[in-house]
Amino acid sequence: MAHNQPSVVAPYFRDIDQQREANTLGMWVFLATEVMFFGGLFMAYTVYFFNYPDAFHEGSRELNLILASINTFVLLTSSLTMALAVRSAQTDNRKWLIIFLIATIVLGLVFLGLKGVEYGEKFQHHLVPGPHFEWDGSFFYEVQLFFGLYFATTGLHALHMIIGVGVLTYFVFKAFRGHFTSVSYDPVEMVGLYWHFVDIAWVFIFPLYYLIDRTIQ
Amino acid sequence: MTVSSPPVKLEKPPQNYLNWAFGIKSWLLTTDHKRIAILYLITVTLFFALGGLAASLVRFELITPQGDLMSADNYNKSFTLHGMLMVFFFLIPGIPAVMGNFLIPLMIGAKDLAFPRLNLASWYVFMVGGLFTMTVIVVGGVDTGWTFYTPYSSTYSNGAVILAALGIFAAGFASIFTAINFVVTIHKMRAPGLTWFRLPLFVWAHYATSIIILLGTPVLAITILMVGIERMFKIGIFDPALGGDPLLFQHLFWFYSHPAVYIMVLPSMGVISELITAFTRRRIFGYKAIALSSLAIALLGFLVWGHHMFVSGQSVYAGLVFSAITFMVAIPSAIKVFNWTATLFKGTISFTTPMLYALGFIGLFTIGGLTGLFLGAAAVDVHVTDTYFVVAHFHYVMVGATIMAYMGAIHFWWPKITGKLYNEGWGISSAIIIFVGFNLTFMPQFIMGYLGMPRRYYAYPDEFQIYHIASSAGAAILAFGYVLPLFYLLYSLFFGPKAGDNPWNAKGLEWTTASPPPHENFEETPIVTEEAYAYPVPQKAEVTSGA
């Protein structure tokens, strides 16, 4: 299906520039709300970290640093492929657009898979808050709180990843049909912004949960 | 496929957004901001009626000192339902999602909002939220109060807290969608020549409101989510017994819910600026001051949440700072009131229905705002915390200001929305009835609150009965005043005379197009060459200001 010029600009916009500016501003405004959304969890983290620093250090040591480090690398790389996908759309390079979109999806899925492995470990070690939570050391409730926040934050992050992967998959199909051209690449750029946001959120989550106490014992 | 949009080619009435397409589907799947505004108008009115019903249960119970009409539990559920419905399903979406949705594109000369499908999604998400809340009523209600304080809400309450939380979560996202649309539309879709300082103040007010919604609502969403997580998985995020901090909940909650007061009142201030200028036939006094004071309120409004927590155990020094900033918010609010009053000065005032609502607004908002200063003073607040003084104060702001403006807006733009004129005599009487009923309801609450009547109690000492009876009687008058417009407005819809494009002879782009407006809003994109409210300067004023 060839891209038909008239349908690129919605009827309520004056021209394509107005449409593109509106889309871009809309996405940035949405990301601002996302920052505030995650901000609540970071606020709770900050308060309890200052209230219970020892418990948070002990909890942090139970997290799998190696898997999380690999995941950080995977996610940062996926941001690169995402950026390259946007570039390919802008330059009308459909083949590479599809390749980079798929690469981003695959990296996203790798991240989610490793995250799943990590969650599985926590289940096995009875570190999931709730009736089956077990903790031999001191600070039973405080460490449970740490893991509660850990699951809430990384879970919310993973949910954002899943939504991102879903949208990207849909976009692969649209890219196959030639929906994205150097004129109508906005949607790819918008999902790119979203993907980078999710990436940056992880850049904050990673040190706060995994790296707060890694001095050699 | 059902029967949808049959091509009716009568050609008799000119094409407008109402006869542009027919059938249920053309309404439920519309992306026209005007039709979505109508959808919101209908649903918001329903929620208002339900919330009002809950309020009347509360007022009935309080006629006698003993708790005889209902149990304490049911009383708790009634005022919780009243608060939840009124705050999250009427006051917050009320003016923005109905009037703002309808008017902003018209006022800035655009064909639609920037994201029409997002706009429709907003209504659906709002409906989902409403559905959750309706389910709450069916499964037995929730008794936490609209504030959902922890650890009661997260651990002890056996009401449908999670369902209620989901309802508010969804309603919050609906307002986020609307706000994204407003910000982008106001930034990017203004007609040629319509610079920022030529925008109607209604648009400025909605811009400031949108910023508050965007920065505040996500915080409420995540807070509610944490309460839900705590309730489901028994993690003590806010439960002191499990290491959590209930004060953190209050901080996060009021970080949204105090600015939410400005989400409710800023759009109504925008409405008032339009009404006052139209019915005094004057340019507004201090345009820039009013425009910028909206932004100042949005900004300062985020820094005062701690004044809800003076007795909660937060640090005294934090209390002092919050108290000081609270006094500062009074400044931009006062700037507006003074400028509206100055606009009245030597104006050609006509006392139409919308104008009566506007004047009522100024009086009631002033009382609500000034009593807010009592409460902002930490020492006085300790005395009246959780009494009817607080209840009266925020009803003066939320009902006295916001609903007065909402009613004024509905009447003012009714001819534009429907193309019909309502009966002015009925309009004026209902405005007066509402004003009288409102004051009779809430003025006694100031007194009994100051005398020590606590809020949220279903039984009380005999000495307060006289005030409660006055309040309940006022509520009955108020309810009558609210029902009245339903009849004469609906009557006008079918039998009212045609309004014409500009029945009030008012300025503003929305009055330059047909009533009801065509689907595309304007035949061709208008070009703006003058300031907002460019009413002719009266003769005398010209002589004095001619120098």
Side-chain angles (χ1 to χ4, degrees):
Chain A
M1 190 159 51
H3 53 91
N4 35 353
Q5 280 296 339
S7 72
V8 172
V9 183
Y12 40 91
F13 286 116
R14 222 172 293 143
D15 48 38
I16 188 131
D17 289 331
Q18 191 188 30
Q19 172 169 300
R20 184 165 298 144
E21 284 179 21
N23 285 345
T24 312
L25 180 63
M27 195 63 204
W28 279 105
V29 170
F30 170 70
L31 292 183
T33 70
E34 286 277 30
V35 169
M36 298 306 288
F37 193 56
F38 276 93
L41 282 169
F42 284 122
M43 183 74 216
Y45 175 93
T46 311
V47 168
Y48 294 125
F49 178 72
F50 277 98
N51 281 356
Y52 316 121
D54 297 337
F56 270 50
H57 288 173
E58 290 203 20
S60 173
R61 271 185 232 120
E62 296 296 320
L63 298 178
N64 192 328
L65 184 59
I66 293 166
L67 280 184
S69 303
I70 296 170
N71 251 350
T72 309
F73 179 75
V74 167
L75 201 55
L76 290 177
T77 313
S78 81
S79 256
L80 173 69
T81 56
M82 187 67 238
L84 289 170
V86 175
R87 182 76 196 142
S88 307
Q90 285 169 338
T91 52
D92 267 329
N93 197 332
R94 196 192 299 181
K95 188 182 102 191
W96 280 102
L97 167 63
I98 292 167
I99 291 172
F100 282 128
L101 283 178
I102 291 176
T104 313
I105 292 169
V106 169
L107 289 168
L109 289 175
V110 169
F111 178 94
L112 287 169
L114 290 179
K115 199 82 221 149
V117 173
E118 272 195 79
Y119 281 179
E121 278 181 358
K122 299 292 162 299
F123 268 103
Q124 282 166 3
H125 298 165
H126 295 282
L127 288 173
V128 179
H132 302 294
F133 184 78
E134 284 172 18
W135 184 255
D136 296 331
S138 43
F139 313 120
F140 177 86
Y141 288 124
E142 289 81 354
V143 175
Q144 187 180 346
L145 196 58
F146 173 84
F147 280 103
L149 288 172
Y150 164 78
F151 276 104
T153 313
T154 57
L156 191 68
H157 179 259
L159 183 67
H160 277 79
M161 298 271 309
I162 292 168
I163 292 168
V165 168
V167 175
L168 284 172
T169 312
Y170 173 57
F171 275 27
V172 169
F173 288 105
K174 285 187 96 174
F176 263 117
R177 294 200 207 121
H179 274 271
F180 305 121
T181 63
S182 56
V183 189
S184 61
Y185 60 86
D186 304 24
V188 185
E189 195 178 358
M190 296 310 116
V191 78
L193 282 173
Y194 173 82
W195 193 262
H196 297 316
F197 165 79
V198 176
D199 192 359
I200 290 170
W202 177 256
V203 169
F204 283 90
I205 293 168
F206 177 58
L208 284 179
Y209 284 93
Y210 291 86
L211 300 181
I212 45 176
D213 185 36
R214 291 292 177 178
T215 45
I216 295 151
Q217 300 300 306
Chain B
M1 284 289 223
T2 49
V3 207
S4 69
S5 56
V8 179
K9 293 250 191 233
L10 282 173
E11 291 295 309
K12 260 192 213 158
Q15 180 266 108
N16 62 47
Y17 78 100
L18 292 169
N19 64 17
W20 186 70
F22 293 95
I24 296 229
K25 233 176 100 181
S26 77
W27 281 91
L28 291 183
L29 296 179
T30 183
T31 52
D32 184 341
H33 68 102
K34 301 181 286 299
R35 285 190 165 208
I36 296 169
I38 301 290
L39 293 177
Y40 257 117
L41 174 66
I42 295 166
T43 40
V44 151
T45 307
L46 282 175
F47 285 125
F48 178 66
L50 271 173
L53 221 59
S56 33
L57 284 178
V58 168
R59 282 318 324 165
F60 268 123
E61 167 59 52
L62 291 172
I63 290 174
T64 56
Q66 309 81 27
D68 34 21
L69 183 68
M70 53 177 113
S71 66
D73 265 350
N74 284 336
Y75 179 80
N76 291 345
K77 286 171 183 171
S78 297
F79 73 67
T80 302
L81 190 67
H82 167 66
M84 248 180 74
L85 284 173
M86 287 301 198
V87 169
F88 296 109
F89 292 92
F90 176 73
L91 289 165
I92 288 176
I95 296 179
V98 179
M99 305 314 298
N101 228 338
F102 196 95
L103 290 167
I104 286 178
L106 286 168
M107 283 181 164
I108 66 170
K111 294 196 180 87
D112 205 323
L113 290 170
F115 310 114
R117 279 182 297 177
L118 187 69
N119 197 17
L120 181 65
S122 153
W123 183 71
Y124 275 101
V125 173
F126 183 72
M127 290 307 283
V128 170
L131 208 66
F132 278 128
T133 311
M134 294 300 103
T135 319
V136 167
I137 304 176
V138 174
V139 301
V142 61
D143 60 351
T144 57
W146 77 279
T147 46
F148 291 95
Y149 267 22
T150 53
Y152 181 71
S153 64
S154 57
T155 311
Y156 304 105
S157 166
N158 44 24
V161 176
I162 291 181
L163 263 179
L166 280 175
I168 293 170
F169 191 84
F173 271 90
S175 67
I176 288 178
F177 291 173
T178 305
I180 291 177
N181 246 324
F182 284 178
V183 167
V184 175
T185 307
I186 296 169
H187 263 283
K188 298 294 177 193
M189 299 182 76
R190 304 191 306 277
L194 190 54
T195 57
W196 279 91
F197 286 114
R198 282 178 179 173
L199 284 174
L201 290 166
F202 181 89
V203 178
W204 269 100
H206 275 77
Y207 184 75
T209 309
S210 303
I211 288 176
I212 303 177
I213 293 177
L214 291 170
L215 296 181
T217 317
V219 178
L220 176 77
I222 196 72
T223 310
I224 290 177
L225 211 60
M226 284 194 266
V227 171
I229 290 171
E230 171 160 350
R231 229 179 132 80
M232 277 188 285
F233 304 108
K234 304 277 175 273
I235 313 163
I237 303 181
F238 301 123
D239 185 355
L242 301 175
D245 183 357
L247 266 193
L248 178 64
F249 172 84
Q250 295 184 24
H251 277 297
L252 290 172
F253 179 82
W254 289 114
F255 179 83
Y256 165 77
S257 292
H258 188 78
V261 174
Y262 301 110
I263 296 176
M264 300 173 216
V265 83
L266 269 174
S268 64
M269 291 168 158
V271 168
I272 299 307
S273 299
E274 303 298 314
L275 302 189
I276 296 272
T277 48
F279 296 109
T280 51
R281 314 216 51 74
R282 287 200 61 189
R283 296 182 181 211
I284 195 131
F285 187 88
Y287 173 94
K288 280 192 183 176
I290 297 186
L292 296 177
S293 65
S294 289
L295 291 182
I297 289 176
L299 195 75
L300 288 171
F302 270 110
L303 305 174
V304 300
W305 77 87
H307 66 216
H308 295 268
M309 301 165 60
F310 283 148
V311 297
S312 67
Q314 77 176 354
S315 108
V316 178
Y317 301 103
L320 282 177
V321 174
F322 281 126
S323 176
I325 306 175
T326 302
F327 288 127
M328 280 163 63
V329 192
I331 297 169
S333 311
I335 286 176
K336 285 175 187 285
V337 171
F338 289 138
N339 279 325
W340 291 323
T341 319
T343 308
L344 294 173
F345 183 63
K346 287 193 175 168
T348 318
I349 301 175
S350 38
F351 291 99
T352 56
T353 311
M355 187 60 172
L356 288 184
Y357 279 113
L359 294 174
F361 171 100
I362 295 180
L364 300 181
F365 175 70
T366 306
I367 297 176
L370 288 178
T371 50
L373 291 181
F374 291 29
L375 295 165
V380 182
D381 184 74
V382 172
H383 176 64
V384 290
T385 287
D386 278 344
T387 66
Y388 266 76
F389 193 88
V390 177
V391 176
H393 155 69
F394 71 70
H395 278 89
Y396 261 83
V397 177
M398 290 179 181
V399 188
T402 305
I403 301 187
M404 292 297 272
Y406 179 76
M407 297 296 287
I410 294 277
H411 284 85
F412 184 56
W413 282 289
W414 185 259
K416 181 53 65 183
I417 296 171
T418 64
K420 296 294 177 64
L421 288 174
Y422 58 86
N423 182 305
E424 195 61 36
W426 281 109
I428 288 174
S429 8
S430 90
I432 293 172
I433 291 170
I434 288 177
F435 185 80
V436 171
F438 173 82
N439 280 299
L440 185 57
T441 312
F442 293 104
M443 198 57 91
Q445 298 192 2
F446 274 127
I447 303 169
M448 67 174 141
Y450 195 78
L451 295 175
M453 171 76 206
R455 70 192 283 200
R456 294 179 171 175
Y457 276 44
Y458 85 132
Y460 54 86
D462 290 340
E463 67 207 74
F464 293 120
Q465 189 176 17
I466 178 79
Y467 305 109
H468 274 301
I469 286 179
S471 188
S472 291
I477 297 172
L478 192 56
F480 178 67
Y482 284 141
V483 172
L484 211 52
L486 211 57
F487 287 102
Y488 66 77
L489 286 180
L490 283 178
Y491 179 86
S492 80
L493 203 54
F494 299 104
F495 308 107
K498 279 210 164 46
D501 291 359
N502 190 357
W504 310 113
N505 204 5
K507 295 284 178 181
L509 285 181
E510 79 269 30
W511 299 108
T512 63
T513 188
S515 309
H519 175 69
E520 317 74 21
N521 289 349
F522 298 93
E523 303 273 312
E524 51 192 281
T525 306
I527 295 170
V528 181
T529 53
E530 55 183 15
E531 290 171 26
Y533 318 115
Y535 291 99
V537 180
Q539 288 296 312
K540 265 190 173 173
E542 210 163 41
V543 174
T544 45
S545 67

